[in-house]
Amino acid sequence: MTESIAILDFGSQYAQIIARRVREAQVYCELFPWDAPQEKILSIQPKGFILSGGPRSVYEEGAPYIQKFILDSGLPILGICYGMQALTHALGGQVDSSAQREYGPAEIELIPYEGGGTPPLLDGISRVWMSHGDRITRMPAGFTALARSGHSPFAAMGDMKRRYFGVQFHPEVHHTPNGLKLLQHFAVDVCGAKPEWTPASIIEDAVARIRAQVGTERVLAAVSGGVDSSVAAALVHKAIGDQLVAVFVDTGLMRKGEGEQVVSAFREHLHAELVAVDAADEYFSALQGVIDPEQKRRIVGEKFIRIFEQQAKQLGQPRFLVQGTIYPDVVESSAPDRSKAQKIKSHHNVGGLPEDMQFELVEPLRYLFKDEVRAVGEALGLAESMVWRQPFPGPGLTVRCLGEVTPERASRLRAADAILIEELSQAGFLGKGAETSQAFVVLLPVRSVGVMGDQRTYQEAAAIRAVTTEDFMTADWARLPHELLARVSNRIVNEVNGINRVVYDITSKPPATIEWE
């Protein structure tokens, strides 16, 4: 991609959201650590740079800074929050701690410039989202103030000649209306990047990369039934056809009826070779007595690879393995090549892979967001039921069955989850176009007293988790109707043996994650 923007991450947990917004404007971008090597950043031939926010103060010893080649490139720069302060600091302006910090919603006032014109970059911007304790007290030479807020005299600034801009607020978050328009204006109008990042171009690029990587060799695809692994396998199948063998491992930790659906989808719709492996007993045996979530993920990750190694021997030892790793997996696992963010959890297909793994990974979705994956799936002609299937973690019910994972508890969880999905789907709260993005049941290792048929019960509790989100990096709990929740709860308690209490999770991400483990 030659029409690209390089985003430099100064430590923000949400730098990847900037990338997602730029891609929404159909401009390709990549996210790099602020101190990534020059040759790596410039390898994408960027048309401009966006500097992310970050938790530090620019005047602290050892604080992240803008590398000299960025300023020497002559390319446009947009600094966001810390990025704006880093730009100010690098160019001789002044940044100081503010007595009045700004966190949350704020109003900015645009400042006319050059005879009273409205800054095009800030067109339509008035209500914004702030999150900073420092502020700019003196702009660098050549800059003009473009906006102010109650506590920031320079809430936005620009050097029109050098095409340098800075905003103290966060245009990437939904709490800043028209923030996407700001990023689009910078990428397309200021930087001159052509909006060519579309599902068709993603497919074309991925197919070329896959062919270049694997050549004429055979490739195994790990399919789990989720949209990510399905789209990844479909992409590889488009690229290399019969060189691909899809392998589905039935862990015994899938959702109700999912194994049969996966087999049908790949053999009948994709017309791809599929090998189904029943490994439920192996997984339950390996997970016996394990309650730590990170240990569960590591066990699932290693077992996952070992089974594929066994299949590889039977299939002539292919060197390549396809995985449906997507960008949020990489970010949350704090992959050292792309992110300086704090590690949140290991993903079985990222941080949980054994070091002595015998495969070279093919990950065509590694830098795509969930909405991009679905758009690609639709463009590939996959069935809507496959593309819009509920997101499902690679470790399966392992990380939704808190405490020890046994066949009995997994069966209990599977039955409760099926009831929730059935009721939400019938009520129009799941599927393409539905407001609720993901919903599932979590089985808790907590027992409580209940009464059924005049008899005392002492059984497990289940939690319902339902969220709304666009990028799965942030999420809010879904405001489901009370009547619907009551119906789900009543059915679970009456139809699933071993559960006598149902609760509803009303925590957003952050501070929580979407999954419980």
Side-chain angles (χ1 to χ4, degrees):
M1 283 289 173
T2 57
E3 303 294 329
S4 62
I5 301 295
I7 302 170
L8 303 183
D9 183 2
F10 285 90
S12 171
Q13 286 283 3
Y14 306 108
Q16 65 274 11
I17 298 180
I18 303 173
R20 185 179 179 277
R21 298 290 177 254
V22 173
R23 291 190 190 179
E24 281 185 29
Q26 296 187 328
V27 174
Y28 181 70
C29 61
E30 288 200 31
L31 181 62
F32 301 92
W34 65 271
D35 56 353
Q38 175 177 344
E39 60 273 15
K40 188 172 184 180
I41 295 174
L42 296 184
S43 68
I44 67 168
Q45 302 177 49
K47 304 284 259 183
F49 300 95
I50 297 178
L51 317 178
S52 83
R56 304 286 297 275
S57 293
V58 295
Y59 45 78
E60 290 179 9
E61 184 177 353
Y65 58 89
I66 303 171
Q67 298 188 73
K68 185 175 183 295
F69 76 88
I70 301 291
L71 299 172
D72 290 344
S73 69
L75 296 172
I77 298 175
L78 171 63
I80 296 174
C81 198
Y82 180 94
M84 177 189 187
Q85 295 167 9
L87 187 62
T88 299
H89 189 69
L91 297 176
Q94 184 69 33
V95 180
D96 295 299
S97 178
S98 175
Q100 292 93 19
R101 300 181 178 184
E102 289 183 302
Y103 294 100
E107 297 285 339
I108 65 168
E109 176 189 355
L110 302 187
I111 302 173
Y113 76 105
E114 294 181 359
T118 301
L121 190 75
L122 302 175
D123 186 34
I125 302 289
S126 59
R127 187 170 180 81
V128 300
W129 187 262
M130 294 281 197
S131 181
H132 65 99
D134 294 336
R135 67 177 184 178
I136 293 164
T137 52
R138 188 184 76 251
M139 294 186 298
F143 279 80
T144 300
L146 302 179
R148 65 172 69 93
S149 70
H151 300 301
S152 295
F154 308 112
M157 65 181 191
D159 181 328
M160 310 306 167
K161 185 176 180 180
R162 288 184 288 184
R163 297 178 297 169
Y164 289 171
F165 297 92
V167 293
Q168 188 60 74
F169 55 88
H170 289 270
E172 70 271 25
V173 302
H174 285 293
H175 303 292
T176 299
N178 294 317
L180 172 59
K181 189 175 180 181
L182 185 156
L183 294 171
Q184 181 179 28
H185 176 80
F186 175 74
V188 176
D189 300 323
V190 176
C191 298
K194 295 178 182 178
E196 297 176 341
W197 182 245
T198 63
S201 70
I202 294 172
I203 293 171
E204 181 182 358
D205 182 64
V207 166
R209 288 174 183 265
I210 293 164
R211 289 173 177 169
Q213 181 182 3
V214 308
T216 59
E217 294 193 40
R218 293 267 278 173
V219 179
L220 286 179
V223 297
S224 66
V227 59
D228 303 331
S229 65
S230 299
V231 173
L235 263 176
V236 175
H237 188 255
K238 181 177 179 64
I240 61 174
D242 293 342
Q243 292 172 233
L244 174 73
V245 179
V247 179
F248 168 63
V249 178
D250 188 344
T251 63
L253 297 161
M254 309 297 290
R255 291 169 289 197
K256 185 176 181 180
E258 195 153 41
E260 296 85 351
Q261 294 171 12
V262 172
V263 172
S264 172
F266 275 84
R267 288 179 177 166
E268 298 177 16
H269 297 292
L270 278 182
H271 305 292
E273 184 179 351
L274 177 74
V275 176
V277 182
D278 184 354
D281 291 344
E282 291 183 54
Y283 274 89
F284 284 120
S285 177
L287 291 166
Q288 186 175 359
V290 178
I291 61 174
D292 178 73
E294 283 295 287
Q295 189 177 355
K296 288 181 184 179
R297 288 177 177 274
R298 285 192 294 270
I299 288 172
V300 171
E302 181 165 1
K303 182 66 63 178
F304 169 83
I305 291 298
R306 298 309 176 213
I307 290 173
F308 272 82
E309 288 176 341
Q310 294 170 12
Q311 292 302 312
K313 291 178 182 178
Q314 298 176 25
L315 295 167
Q317 204 70 42
R319 181 159 60 96
F320 296 98
L321 171 64
V322 179
Q323 284 203 131
T325 309
I326 65 173
Y327 202 34
D329 297 340
V330 177
V331 172
E332 289 193 348
S333 293
S334 194
D337 63 329
R338 289 297 177 99
S339 176
K340 297 290 184 177
Q342 181 180 357
K343 177 176 175 178
I344 305 299
K345 61 187 177 184
S346 294
H347 285 264
H348 86 291
N349 54 353
V350 182
L353 295 176
E355 293 181 2
D356 60 344
M357 184 183 68
Q358 301 299 308
F359 294 103
E360 180 179 332
L361 294 180
V362 178
E363 299 175 306
L365 313 179
R366 187 175 178 85
Y367 297 110
L368 297 187
F369 292 98
K370 181 73 74 173
D371 58 322
E372 293 176 315
V373 172
R374 286 196 164 117
V376 167
E378 289 184 325
L380 287 169
L382 296 182
E384 183 176 305
S385 60
M386 182 182 291
V387 174
W388 291 93
R389 186 186 298 273
Q390 276 281 288
F392 194 55
L397 297 181
T398 308
V399 293
R400 294 179 180 174
C401 187
L402 276 59
E404 184 179 8
V405 184
T406 65
E408 179 186 17
R409 296 189 75 226
S411 178
R412 184 176 300 152
L413 174 56
R414 185 162 32 245
D417 188 75
I419 290 172
L420 173 68
I421 299 306
E422 178 186 336
E423 290 290 345
L424 264 60
S425 298
Q426 290 180 355
F429 283 92
L430 285 179
K432 184 176 182 179
E435 182 179 349
T436 304
S437 307
Q438 186 174 2
F440 54 88
V441 172
V442 179
L443 186 63
L444 307 179
V446 175
R447 295 182 180 272
S448 66
V449 174
V451 178
M452 292 183 181
D454 295 326
Q455 292 185 344
R456 177 186 184 274
T457 62
Y458 191 57
Q459 299 177 342
E460 290 187 304
I464 295 172
R465 180 67 159 153
V467 299
T468 60
T469 180
E470 290 194 5
D471 50 33
F472 288 84
M473 299 307 305
T474 62
D476 196 10
W477 61 278
R479 271 62 170 179
L480 298 177
H482 293 175
E483 297 79 7
L484 177 58
L485 288 171
R487 188 162 62 248
V488 172
S489 174
N490 187 61
R491 283 194 60 190
I492 290 175
V493 170
N494 281 282
E495 298 176 27
V496 182
N497 291 328
I499 296 177
N500 69 351
R501 190 177 299 271
V502 177
V503 297
Y504 190 48
D505 184 346
I506 58 169
T507 319
S508 63
K509 175 188 179 180
T513 54
I514 294 177
E515 298 288 344
W516 277 44
E517 287 190 340

